Amino acid sequence: SSDVCSSDLGANPIIGLVALLRDRASPAIAPWIHRGLTSQDVLDTSLMLGVRNAADRLIAELAEQISALSALAAAHRATPMVARTLTQHAAPTTFGAKAAGWLDGVVDAYRQISGLVIPAQLGGAVGNLAATTELAALINDAADPGAIAQNVSRSAAASLGLDIRSPWHTTRTPVTAVADAFVGC
C-alpha cells in the first residue's frame, strides 16, 4: 500500500533518502544521485563516519585517562596496600602497581582504537566499481575509465576523511575490528 515506508520495502532507509534527494535536486543533478553506489555502500560509509567520530572522542578521553593514571601510578608507587586473590588477602603490593595495571588496559585500548582503519565503502553492486567505471566511460575523452573510477573513489573517501581501501562490502572486517576495539575500550 502507499502508506508503507520505502525503507520497509528495501530493508534500509537509503531508498527513501534517495527519493527525497532526487525530488529536491535540480533536474540536471537528480538523475546522478546514487549512481554507481549501492545502498549498502551508503550505509557502510555512514557507519564508518559515525565510527570515526566516536573513535576520535574515545582517543581524546583515553589520552586524558592515560595521563591521569600515569600520575596516579607515579604518585603512589610506594603506597602500600593489600592485594587480593579470589577476594582473599594476598601478598602486599602498592597502589601505584594497581594503578599501573589499570593504565596498561587503557593504553591497550588507546592503541587499538588509534590503529583502526576506518574506510569508505564505495565499490558498487559487486565491489568492483563497475557502475562508476561505466559512468566515467560516458566522458568523451576518458582514456582510462577504470582509473577515473578509482580516482573518484579515492577523492570521495578523502573528502569524507575516511581511509581508502578496496571495496569491502562482503568482508565485514572493518566493522568487526571496530566492535572489538570498542569492546576493549
Side-chain angles (χ1 to χ4, degrees):
S1 79
S2 62
D3 62 341
V4 174
C5 176
S6 62
S7 65
D8 292 341
L9 298 175
N12 72 66
I14 304 306
I15 295 167
L17 175 62
V18 169
L20 179 68
L21 291 173
R22 284 183 179 155
D23 185 53
R24 293 184 179 179
S26 72
I29 294 173
W32 297 99
I33 293 174
H34 198 38
R35 294 277 299 263
L37 296 177
T38 66
S39 296
Q40 192 65 48
D41 288 340
V42 176
L43 288 171
D44 284 344
T45 299
S46 298
L47 173 65
M48 290 298 123
L49 288 169
V51 163
R52 185 201 54 217
N53 292 341
D56 288 348
R57 274 194 291 184
L58 284 171
I59 288 167
E61 290 178 18
L62 289 169
E64 289 177 19
Q65 290 178 8
I66 288 169
S67 179
L69 286 170
S70 295
L72 191 63
H76 292 282
R77 85 176 334 128
T79 304
M81 69 173 275
V82 175
R84 296 195 171 274
T85 180
L86 298 175
T87 72
Q88 303 298 312
H89 283 276
T93 189
T94 66
F95 184 67
K98 186 77 163 169
W102 299 333
L103 175 61
D104 285 343
V106 174
V107 167
D108 288 345
Y110 177 89
R111 286 180 177 155
Q112 195 171 14
I113 290 175
S114 295
L116 284 173
V117 173
I118 304 174
Q121 164 55 313
L122 305 167
V126 295
N128 65 1
L129 298 171
T132 307
T133 302
E134 284 184 35
L135 291 172
L138 296 175
I139 300 171
N140 292 336
D141 60 350
D144 187 353
I148 292 171
Q150 288 289 332
N151 288 338
V152 167
S153 181
R154 280 191 216 99
S155 177
S159 294
L160 294 169
L162 296 174
D163 293 317
I164 298 162
R165 74 172 266 174
S166 61
W168 52 274
H169 70 289
T170 60
T171 304
R172 304 313 291 169
T173 309
V175 176
T176 59
V178 166
D180 189 45
F182 285 5
V183 166
C185 184

